[in-house]
Amino acid sequence: MSAERPGETGTMLPPLIDHHVHLMIIGPDALCDTALAGVVDLGGPLDTIASHARRDGLPKVAFAGSFLTAPGGYPVGRAWASPGSAREIVVEAGDERAALPTAAETAVAEQLAFGASVIKVALNREAGPVLDAATLAAVVASAHAAGVPVVAHVEGEGMSRLAIDAGVDAFAHTPFTERLDDDLVARAVAAGQCWISTLFVAGYGEPTPETAIALDNLGRFHAAGGRVLYGTDLGNGEQPLGVNPAELALLVRAGLGASAVLDALTDPWPGGPDEAGDGAVATFVPGEPPATLDEFPAWLASARLSPAEDLEQL
């Protein structure tokens, strides 16, 4: 909606959220002076990320805690993964029927005890072993019993299908290593899955096979009614702090119109509608909205945070 603040007119929007960042890489203060009112941290040392989430000020932080993974699975051994980023789930024989909590239940409970609002599982067959179907199902069931969604990093042949079969609620990245057939995309949509875009990191601005696969998958998912979330995987490679216009441009290339891009940027997943700013802040984009969709990403990337009380609706 049109709005005015002292000295300029523009457009007032809800708070903006990046649904995939890594504060362990960029640091807790890197986004304080950006247009982002909220972020979702999708993997880091549980105690460290939990402490970042308790800090005052913006952006507000929702988080997943540690990557839940198979023994030796991704991201174990990765140079960028700080100690404690990966929580390996070691399943013993008969574990699924033990009187005590199972290994999967214990791993989920640890994340929730620190305040995690989403559970992340790593299903990267190209980097090492992955959770078997039964263990993955146990993670999903345990998280759902607590009312918390599960997001998966899927990479490698069959990993998207494994996650969808298990009832995973979200993908941390648009699938970029394999083309999902239309039936599988339809199943993801029917299940209410949401996909976090992260299209830019598939090629960092260069045309790559992974970018083409991701654009095709996301375009068909969106066209089928799928819920798309804006996310950048910030901390992964060189990216601007704050809203990334290149990510927005790729969302447009995937077939999202202006309203769908805004929905992806302002969706409150995985929390409540006021989690990004408690209603006290809004987004202000100066100047007139662009006349063409091609100009939309750059215009939106010029957004700023503003106290809601400083904006007057026109």
Side-chain angles (χ1 to χ4, degrees):
M1 65 185 68
S2 296
E4 183 178 57
R5 69 179 189 177
E8 57 186 343
T9 60
T11 300
M12 179 180 176
L13 299 172
L16 305 183
I17 301 171
D18 188 330
H19 298 88
H20 189 154
V21 306
H22 290 287
L23 297 178
M24 69 174 170
I25 299 175
I26 63 173
D29 300 321
L31 301 173
C32 290
D33 296 321
T34 71
L36 294 172
V39 296
V40 184
D41 189 288
L42 287 187
L46 180 56
D47 54 349
T48 301
I49 304 304
S51 68
H52 295 341
R54 291 192 294 267
R55 293 161 63 99
D56 293 331
L58 297 175
K60 298 288 187 180
V61 179
F63 68 97
S66 305
F67 292 71
L68 303 190
T69 192
Y74 180 84
V76 173
R78 298 283 169 148
W80 53 263
S82 302
S85 297
R87 169 61 162 87
E88 297 167 274
I89 299 179
V90 180
V91 179
E92 304 290 346
D95 187 33
E96 71 280 0
R97 296 266 62 93
L100 295 175
T102 66
E105 291 169 339
T106 299
V108 170
E110 290 170 358
Q111 315 310 305
L112 299 180
F114 277 79
S117 51
V118 59
I119 298 298
K120 184 172 185 180
V121 294
L123 302 174
N124 185 346
R125 179 165 281 164
E126 297 191 349
V130 300
L131 299 172
D132 61 82
T135 302
L136 178 59
V139 169
V140 172
S142 184
H144 286 178
V148 173
V150 178
V151 61
H153 174 118
V154 293
E155 186 171 351
E157 184 176 356
M159 294 297 94
S160 296
R161 185 176 297 276
L162 176 64
I164 291 169
D165 287 346
V168 164
D169 303 281
F171 284 168
H173 305 272
T174 299
F176 60 93
T177 55
E178 61 173 345
R179 184 184 188 275
L180 276 58
D181 62 47
D182 289 342
D183 287 343
L184 193 58
V185 169
R187 282 186 56 201
V189 173
Q193 255 198 354
C194 50
W195 291 6
I196 302 169
S197 57
T198 70
L199 297 167
F200 178 74
V201 295
Y204 295 99
E206 299 296 326
T208 65
E210 291 79 13
T211 302
I213 291 169
L215 283 168
D216 173 60
N217 283 332
L218 191 67
R220 289 181 295 116
F221 178 74
H222 170 65
R227 180 180 173 189
V228 178
L229 305 176
Y230 168 88
T232 62
D233 199 8
L234 189 59
N236 182 355
E238 293 294 325
Q239 297 194 61
L241 296 175
V243 178
N244 185 346
E247 186 69 34
L248 300 177
L250 287 165
L251 285 170
V252 171
R253 279 185 59 191
L256 277 70
S259 61
V261 171
L262 286 175
D263 287 345
L265 258 168
T266 59
D267 193 303
W269 184 91
D274 293 329
E275 188 167 291
D278 300 323
V281 296
T283 304
F284 181 77
V285 190
E288 292 293 324
T292 69
L293 192 55
D294 288 342
E295 299 171 296
F296 183 71
W299 173 79
L300 190 51
S302 70
R304 311 166 193 165
L305 273 176
S306 176
E309 64 183 7
D310 289 351
L311 299 178
E312 181 179 349
Q313 298 179 25
L314 300 177

